[in-house]
Amino acid sequence: MLIQRLGGITSVVNKSSKVKPFATKAHADVGFNYSVTRSACLTLCVPVLAELPQPQNLTLLTLNTQYVLTWDWDQTTTGNSVTFTVEYMAKYKMKMKKKNWSRVCERTTRTRCDLTGSDLHYLGMYVLRVRASADGVNSDWVNKDFCPDIDASLGPPSRVEMAPVGNLLDVTISDPLTSTQHSMKKHVLFLYYRILYWSRSDDPQGLKPKLLDSSNNLVTLPELEAWTWYCVMIQSRYDYYNKTSSYTEPQCMQTEGDTPYGQIFLYFLVSMMVCFLLVLLPSYAFFRFYRVLKNTFYPSIQLPAHIQEYLCDSSPGSDMPRLLTADSEAELCCDKLTICPEVVLLEIHVPPPLTAPPSELEQDSGRHIRQDSGDSGIYSTEGGSAQQGRSGGEPIRRDQEVDSWQTRVQVKLEEMGRESADERDLDEGVVDVCV
C-alpha cells in the first residue's frame, strides 16, 4: 500500500486495487495516518528469512577413473550445522522436461564427495551440482560440467621392470590402472609412453637423456654399451586432449656382455675357495676328530696280558683300572723288570759216516769208548796203552776227529741260540712295572 499526493489530494494506492481519493483534506490526513501505522505494523510483524550462501570453488580431483569433487565453505557464517548434498545427471538429459538426478552424497558435513563408485562412463558428459542446507533452509544449487575423457588426469605406468639382454636392456611397462584394476587402454585407445634413459656414468643427474616413444609394453633400448649402468624414467601420454602424466621414479640396471677371461678365472678361484671352506675343511676336521676318538678308546696296540693284570682291578672279570689310594702311593716303588723269552735249542742229528771201518777197528774203538767211560777219558797202564797205541792207532785218530767235529757243531748251535735269544730280548725290550 502506497500513499500518493496529487495536486493537494491525498490518496491511498494498493497494488491490488485502484487509487481512491479522499473527499476532504481531513479525511486525507486521517487516511494517511492510518496507512502509515498499518505499514509499520506489517514491517515489524512479518519475519524475513535470510538465504544461505552457495558453496564456492567447485574442483575435481581426478586420476584415471578416480573422481573426487571438492568445494569451499566459510564455516564462520553459519557454524558447524551445515550439510551438503551432491547430485549428478547426464548432460543430454538436461533438455528433458522430467529431470532425474542421481544423488551421491546426502547431508554430509565434509566439503568433498567421492564419485568414483558412481560408474560414470569415461566418454560421457555430466552435470554435477552441490547445495548447502542449514535449519531447514537450502541454498541455491551450484552446477559444474564434467567429462572424464577431457577433464580426468592420466596416471603414470603402474609398474616398470628392466632386464639385461646382452649389451641391451628390455623395459617392461605395465599400463595405468583404473579404479577396478583394469588397463586404461580400454578407455584411452591412443595411449603411448615416452621413455627417457641415460648413462649413469656419463650423465649422473640425467640432464641430457635420450628420448624414445613407444605404444608397446615391451621396449628394447638401443645403442647401449656393455657393462654400463643406465637409468630409465617413463611417462604416459595422450595427445588428442594433450594429456601427460608424471614420470616414474628413476630405475637403473647394468647391461651385460662377453665375460672377460680374467673374470672367469676369478670366479673359478672364488668357487674353489668356497668349496674348500664349506666341504673339504669340515670333512677333514671330522676325520681328524674320528681318528682321535678311535685311538683314545680303541687303541690298535694292546698291552700284554701279564702286564694288564697289574693295571686292572684284582676282582675277577673286571676291566676297570686299579685306583691307587693315598696310602698306596706312599709305599709305591718301581723296579726294572726284564722279560726274556725262553731259549729253545735246536737239536741237529748228524748221520753216521757212509763207509764203515774194519771190524777190528770197531772192536778197538768200542773197547776204547768203554775205557773212556770207566776212567773219565784217562788211559790206564802204560803197557796196555802202548799196545793199544800200536795196534789201534789209526782208529783212535778217527774217533778223535769225529769227537772234535761234534764238539764244534754243538758250540756253533749254542752260539746261534744265544744270538736268537739276544734278538728276542731286543724285540721284547725292557718294561718298567710298578709293583
Side-chain angles (χ1 to χ4, degrees), residues 130-235:
V130 183
R131 74 176 181 184
S133 301
D135 299 330
V137 179
N138 300 325
S139 68
D140 294 336
W141 290 99
V142 181
N143 298 342
K144 182 175 180 61
D145 294 339
F146 175 59
C147 178
D149 187 29
I150 301 174
D151 302 323
S153 301
L154 188 61
S158 58
R159 187 174 60 182
V160 176
E161 296 179 351
M162 302 174 63
V165 182
N167 60 341
L168 302 177
L169 285 177
D170 282 347
V171 181
T172 303
I173 306 172
S174 299
D175 298 329
L177 299 178
T178 64
S179 57
T180 57
Q181 303 301 313
H182 292 89
S183 174
M184 277 298 295
K185 284 187 175 181
K186 179 181 179 182
H187 305 295
V188 183
L189 300 180
F190 300 102
L191 177 68
Y192 70 97
Y193 305 103
R194 174 159 291 179
I195 303 172
L196 302 180
Y197 63 99
W198 65 93
S199 174
R200 196 169 67 178
S201 58
D202 298 338
D203 188 11
Q205 302 297 329
L207 301 178
K208 297 179 180 180
K210 296 181 180 180
L211 180 65
L212 178 64
D213 291 339
S214 176
S215 59
N216 300 323
N217 294 100
L218 180 61
V219 181
T220 300
L221 302 181
E223 300 178 0
L224 303 182
E225 297 179 359
W227 305 108
T228 306
W229 284 88
Y230 287 91
C231 298
V232 173
M233 293 194 310
I234 303 178
Q235 179 190 53

Side-chain angles (χ1 to χ4, degrees), residues 348 350 404-414:
I348 300 176
V350 179
S404 63
W405 180 79
Q406 290 180 351
T407 302
R408 287 196 300 272
V409 170
Q410 186 175 1
V411 171
K412 187 65 175 178
L413 292 176
E414 291 178 357

